[in-house]
Amino acid sequence: MQDLLATYYDVQTEEIAVLDNRHGNKSGDAIYFIISAANKETIYMEQASLAYYLAENNYPNLAIPIRNKQGDWFLEYQGKRYMVLQLHEQQRVNHSSPGRQLAEFHQLGSMYRYEPKEISSYGQWKHLWIEKLSLFEKNMTQTAMENPCPYHRLVMDVFPYIIGISENAIQYVQETEQEYRFDMVDQGTISFKRYHDNITNSVLWADSLVYDHPARDLAEHIRTYFLQEEIRSNEINEFLQDYQSVRPLSIFSWRLLYARLIFPIHLYDILERGMMQRTSYDQLYHELKPLLANQQQYEQRLAHFFANLDIDQERLQIPVLHWL
């Protein structure tokens, strides 16, 4: 790929650099990463717009898309389309806690003037979850029949459970849409596809950005704790307290956060990779099996979520799933 950078971007690279398991080429104080651009062009352009906005507002550690010598954002090369991300080696110094850092990020993101279309899930969770569930209900049996293996046998065994818990989450978010106790914190903001301490990383990636309700990132962060072998409730409490010192959550936010934790996104992420054949079925089996084994523990942690945060959900009239 060094030849590609030299020919089409006039960039002479000196050495290989690896960040977040991504291989790039270094030139001076910059590192260049060549990424596939197989999705809609508008997706990458919306992400680029968010990335440039953040980079211009004190996030210099963003890997942002750049144009080639012809002034194009995309490059057709050997029958495939690519985009190049440029990262200047500037460490963003922030001594705040991870919770405060994410709140500050969301605060800035909420001031972005234009809501994207292709990468926005704001206000669409119910529709997107119904769509996701319907897609797998439609295709899973056929896919399993065409590819008989331990992974698909496991999926078919647990799919009724996945359908049931998904429908619970869809119903919960549908009822939450009627909640009137919302605030400025409930505006859409720049967020991440799957948040896991992204904000504290040395580099932020333009192609990881989306636009959504801030509860998305909070829920995905908490989900990582719920999936660990040993729960660290004190760290969840501290994270949320620090976040709320900047952006206090409304009742609507708490309900959305809870709804997202109900929906088994961690299981769907594996099912999606299987459907797209991005990973070997053997590897997917070894990833899915322990997640399913721990699902009862995940549900128990969700059942005590509000109690562990010292939130009186009954007084605040926040409904919960009583079967957990």
Side-chain angles (χ1 to χ4, degrees):
M1 291 299 184
Q2 288 179 314
D3 291 341
L4 184 151
L5 290 170
T7 303
Y8 298 98
Y9 291 84
D10 203 19
V11 173
Q12 306 299 323
T13 58
E14 305 151 359
E15 57 183 295
I16 302 295
V18 181
L19 289 174
D20 282 358
N21 294 319
R22 296 193 183 197
H23 288 73
N25 296 88
K26 188 174 181 181
S27 177
D29 71 342
I31 306 174
Y32 297 85
F33 299 88
I34 301 170
I35 65 170
S36 171
N39 286 327
K40 292 182 181 178
E41 289 188 3
T42 49
I43 291 176
Y44 300 104
M45 297 318 301
E46 287 182 353
Q47 290 175 326
S49 181
L50 298 184
Y52 274 89
Y53 169 77
L54 293 170
E56 292 165 2
N57 287 276
N58 199 30
Y59 285 89
N61 58 327
L62 256 156
I64 58 177
I66 60 171
R67 298 176 187 267
N68 60 30
K69 288 194 301 184
Q70 285 70 43
D72 298 322
W73 292 102
F74 303 95
L75 174 67
E76 297 287 340
Y77 184 74
Q78 295 183 352
K80 295 183 179 180
R81 191 174 59 178
Y82 297 95
M83 175 178 271
V84 171
L85 305 182
Q86 180 189 63
L87 172 69
H88 286 284
E89 294 186 285
Q90 301 179 48
Q91 178 66 45
R92 183 175 189 267
V93 178
N94 189 327
H95 299 294
S96 298
S97 67
R100 284 188 64 91
Q101 287 189 52
L102 182 59
E104 291 164 0
F105 179 86
H106 284 163
Q107 192 74 7
L108 175 63
S110 68
M111 293 186 283
Y112 183 73
R113 292 184 180 181
Y114 310 103
E115 179 178 346
K117 302 301 181 185
E118 295 289 345
I119 62 171
S120 176
S121 299
Y122 183 71
Q124 300 181 52
W125 290 5
K126 181 183 72 173
H127 168 74
L128 292 173
W129 292 353
I130 290 173
E131 194 176 70
K132 188 182 291 284
L133 176 58
S134 299
L135 174 66
F136 284 102
E137 281 187 300
K138 179 181 178 181
N139 295 323
M140 189 54 66
T141 301
Q142 181 67 26
T143 304
M145 290 175 60
E146 293 173 353
N147 302 276
C149 62
Y151 164 73
H152 278 121
R153 285 195 290 273
L154 178 61
V155 170
M156 295 309 296
D157 284 345
V158 301
F159 202 58
Y161 164 78
I162 293 176
I163 292 173
I165 194 74
S166 299
E167 290 176 342
N168 275 211
I170 291 166
Q171 181 178 352
Y172 191 95
V173 82
Q174 178 175 313
E175 294 171 357
T176 297
E177 290 174 350
Q178 308 305 313
E179 177 61 65
Y180 62 91
R181 292 170 293 175
F182 48 84
D183 209 333
M184 293 294 290
V185 72
D186 295 302
Q187 291 179 313
T189 189
I190 301 172
S191 51
F192 298 90
K193 287 181 182 177
R194 291 289 180 269
Y195 184 80
H196 181 53
D197 279 340
N198 301 58
I199 202 64
T200 63
N201 292 347
S202 60
V203 55
L204 301 178
W205 304 96
D207 59 337
S208 72
L209 300 175
V210 296
Y211 189 89
D212 207 341
H213 191 284
R216 176 192 187 114
D217 289 340
L218 297 177
E220 295 311 315
H221 184 72
I222 294 167
R223 189 189 305 273
T224 62
Y225 284 105
F226 280 7
L227 292 172
Q228 291 171 0
E229 188 172 339
E230 295 293 332
I231 188 68
R232 294 179 289 185
S233 297
N234 61 316
E235 293 187 25
I236 297 176
N237 292 7
E238 182 179 343
F239 178 82
L240 289 172
Q241 287 170 6
D242 290 345
Y243 184 94
Q244 290 196 93
S245 68
V246 178
R247 288 169 62 84
L249 298 182
S250 68
I251 299 300
F252 181 76
S253 288
W254 282 115
R255 292 186 62 170
L256 272 189
L257 194 163
Y258 184 75
R260 193 170 184 92
L261 288 173
I262 297 171
F263 194 76
I265 289 172
H266 51 293
L267 302 181
Y268 275 106
D269 283 348
I270 294 179
L271 297 183
E272 184 175 344
R273 284 160 55 206
M275 190 75 71
M276 301 298 292
Q277 295 184 324
R278 294 173 181 166
T279 313
S280 73
Y281 291 135
D282 186 56
Q283 181 178 333
L284 291 172
Y285 174 82
H286 290 292
E287 291 181 31
L288 182 60
K289 191 172 183 179
L291 279 181
L292 292 171
N294 291 332
Q295 191 63 18
Q296 184 176 359
Q297 178 176 264
Y298 180 96
E299 291 180 0
Q300 290 173 349
R301 290 168 176 174
L302 182 57
H304 297 97
F305 175 63
F306 289 114
N308 288 337
L309 294 173
D310 292 324
I311 293 175
D312 189 341
Q313 45 85 204
E314 290 188 0
R315 182 180 65 81
L316 295 174
Q317 296 181 311
I318 300 176
V320 295
L321 299 185
H322 292 290
W323 60 263
L324 287 173

